[in-house]
């Protein structure tokens, strides 16, 4: 059996640990430079210093950060500590493989084959990475795109800070524009842009039905508002792809699901093992 260490014990490192095929690969330890994590365990796996992790002489070392500078620093640190195995770089893999995007393909196929009625929508569009894929996979459906297209709204940040869910700041995800997203769409004639504060931007759309929704608003308040708007309008067999459900950076998304379920009953929710903690909610 081959052995591996994961350098970086944060959100991405922990997600990568869940992807390891334990039938032929054994995870020995996390290696991390954070003194607060040193000596702890994550899922029963010890968190050591990078140097101590390298001393275990693993066959592979997965550098579980996507920032190129930090990735290079960890690689150099491991090499100086005597690592002689094979490096796996998450930054390279992340740019080529993505579970959430891959999941869209069978979802779209099922919606078409089962003739699930309804429009397509995304709340939290940012630069349109998922929006253009949904537009391409379901070109005959109207695509509703909800976003400020200017980053987080101050009202949502205030609520996020009040409840201590994340360190969201004014200006986060603001490096985008409606025009830029529109330019990426393969079928822009099918897209309707709803720019502004959600859920105010849903006025006049009370009678819409949805087959597929990407809910990627990150923060507690808009995620909860998104569930309250979209789920009752989700066709039977339709699906909501919820980003950040198991994400340490944006803990409000999971709390929004919990609060929605307390008020309305349990959701048919299936967590995915991707880097950001995505989940799929199926309409009943």
């Amino acid at each position: 059996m081959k052995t591996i260490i994961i350098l970086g014990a944060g959100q991405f490192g922990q997600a990568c640990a869940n992807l390891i095929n334990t039938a032929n690969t054994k995870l020995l330890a996390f290696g991390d430079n954070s003194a607060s994590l040193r000596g702890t365990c994550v899922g029963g796996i010890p968190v050591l210093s990078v140097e101590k992790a390298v001393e275990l002489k693993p066959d592979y070392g997965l550098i579980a950060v996507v920032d190129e500078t930090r990735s290079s620093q960890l690689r150099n640190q491991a090499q100086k500590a005597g690592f002689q195995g094979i490096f796996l770089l998450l930054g390279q893999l992340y740019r080529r493989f993505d579970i959430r995007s891959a999941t869209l393909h069978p979802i779209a196929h099922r919606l078409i084959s089962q003739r699930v009625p309804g429009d397509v929508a995304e709340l939290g569009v940012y630069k349109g990475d998922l929006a253009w894929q949904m537009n391409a996979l379901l070109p005959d459906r109207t695509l509703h795109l909800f976003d400020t297209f200017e980053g987080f709204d101050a009202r949502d940040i205030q609520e996020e800070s009040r409840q201590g869910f994340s360190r969201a700041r004014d200006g986060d995800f603001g490096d985008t524009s409606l025009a830029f997203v529109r330019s990426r769409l393969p079928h822009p004639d099918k897209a309707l842009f709803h720019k502004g504060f959600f859920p105010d931007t849903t006025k006049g759309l009370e009678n819409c039905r949805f087959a597929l929704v990407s809910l990627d608003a990150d923060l507690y308040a808009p995620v909860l508002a998104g569930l309250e708007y979209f789920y009752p309008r989700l066709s039977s067999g339709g699906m909501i792809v919820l980003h950040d459900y198991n994400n340490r950076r944006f803990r409000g998304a999971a709390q929004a699901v919990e609060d929605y379920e307390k008020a309305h009953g349990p959701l048919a929710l299936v967590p995915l093992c991707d880097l950001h903690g995505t989940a799929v909610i199926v309409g009943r």
Side-chain angles (χ1 to χ4, degrees), residues 111 115-119 141 208-212 230-239 281-284:
L111 295 177
R115 298 181 180 178
V116 177
D119 295 343
R141 312 265 183 150
C208 278
R209 299 289 294 177
F210 298 94
L212 175 61
F230 289 113
Y231 188 72
R233 295 171 175 82
L234 194 64
S235 298
S236 177
M239 303 185 199
I281 300 169
V282 183
R284 294 172 174 169

Side-chain angles (χ1 to χ4, degrees), residues 38-210:
R38 203 80 45 75
T40 65
C41 287
V42 176
I45 304 300
V47 181
L48 311 175
S49 68
V50 172
E51 288 73 17
K52 288 293 184 182
V54 168
E55 287 180 5
L56 299 175
K57 301 185 185 304
D59 298 300
Y60 296 96
L62 171 61
I63 299 182
V65 298
V66 297
D67 178 79
E68 291 185 5
T69 299
R70 290 181 59 210
S71 179
S72 295
Q73 290 172 344
L74 280 171
R75 183 171 183 166
N76 291 336
Q77 185 178 358
Q79 287 176 326
K80 289 180 179 178
F83 179 74
Q84 296 182 352
I86 299 172
F87 280 112
L88 302 174
L89 305 180
L90 180 61
Q92 294 179 355
L93 298 171
Y94 182 67
R95 284 188 286 273
R96 302 291 177 262
F97 303 97
D98 179 62
I99 293 174
R100 181 175 59 149
S101 295
T103 303
L104 284 180
H105 290 264
I107 286 177
H109 176 76
R110 180 166 178 81
L111 295 177
I112 294 169
S113 65
Q114 295 296 309
R115 298 181 180 178
V116 177
D119 295 343
V120 181
E122 182 166 45
L123 170 58
V125 179
Y126 188 36
K127 294 185 177 182
D129 288 347
L130 219 65
W132 78 260
Q133 296 179 60
M134 294 192 297
N135 191 217
L137 289 168
L138 297 163
D140 298 327
R141 312 265 183 150
T142 298
L143 173 64
H144 298 269
L145 297 176
F146 298 88
D147 205 303
T148 66
F149 297 97
E150 297 174 353
F152 291 148
D153 188 281
R155 288 164 285 188
D156 292 332
I157 294 176
Q158 184 177 14
E159 179 65 14
E160 196 79 359
S161 177
R162 186 183 73 80
Q163 300 209 47
F165 289 136
S166 72
R167 297 180 181 178
R169 298 175 299 175
D170 185 38
D172 284 350
F173 300 99
D175 56 334
T176 186
S177 71
L178 189 156
F180 174 76
V181 173
R182 187 192 299 276
S183 72
R184 299 190 66 189
L185 299 179
H187 306 285
D189 57 303
K190 300 297 293 185
L192 296 177
F193 289 81
H194 308 282
K195 186 178 187 297
F197 180 70
F198 191 90
D200 293 353
T201 48
T202 64
K203 291 178 180 178
L205 302 174
E206 291 79 9
N207 296 324
C208 278
R209 299 289 294 177
F210 298 94

